[in-house]
Amino acid sequence: MAATAQMTLEEIRRGLSWRKQLDKVFVVVGLLILMGCLGILALLFFDLVRDGAPRFGWDFFTSFPSRRATSAGILSAAVGTCLIMLVTALVALPVGVAAAIYLEE
């Protein structure tokens, strides 16, 4: 008589029960790792804000770069970033609308 490789209903249930328990353990371990990483990120962000907050002021945002660190600002970088975003939007919007019309027709 040939032995068949069929599993009984009880064996299937035990296997599913084991996999459900393993799934729960995996979820708990994943959430613990996620919370740990988010906690480390929060600590680093808090440290960054605590150390950098005194250096931010209106002059920092309205001054140009300088050789002296006390009078350096980011005005040119901010204006350049805004101009790049504007040009990108002006190019991407017509191309995107044209592609949508072409694909619809």
Side-chain angles (χ1 to χ4, degrees), residues 42-58:
L43 285 173
L44 289 173
F45 183 74
F46 175 74
D47 186 52
L48 176 74
V49 169
R50 188 189 64 202
D51 289 345
R55 293 175 180 87
F56 284 111
W58 189 248

Side-chain angles (χ1 to χ4, degrees), residues 4-102:
T4 59
Q6 294 181 350
M7 295 175 59
T8 64
L9 189 58
E10 187 60 35
E11 290 173 339
I12 293 172
R13 284 187 179 151
R14 273 188 278 141
L16 288 176
S17 174
W18 166 250
R19 288 182 184 183
K20 285 182 181 180
Q21 291 174 356
L22 192 62
D23 184 50
K24 289 178 185 177
V25 169
F26 181 77
V27 167
V28 168
V29 169
L31 286 175
L32 288 174
I33 291 172
L34 174 70
M35 291 303 155
C37 291
L38 288 176
I40 291 171
L41 180 65
L43 285 173
L44 289 173
F45 183 74
F46 175 74
D47 186 52
L48 176 74
V49 169
R50 188 189 64 202
D51 289 345
R55 293 175 180 87
F56 284 111
W58 189 248
D59 291 337
F60 178 71
F61 295 106
T62 59
S63 300
F64 289 100
S66 174
R67 290 182 182 182
R68 293 174 300 176
T70 57
S71 63
I74 60 166
L75 180 63
S76 61
V79 170
T81 301
C82 291
L83 289 175
I84 288 174
M85 290 190 311
L86 179 68
V87 170
T88 302
L90 290 175
V91 170
L93 187 67
V95 171
V97 171
I101 292 170
Y102 174 75

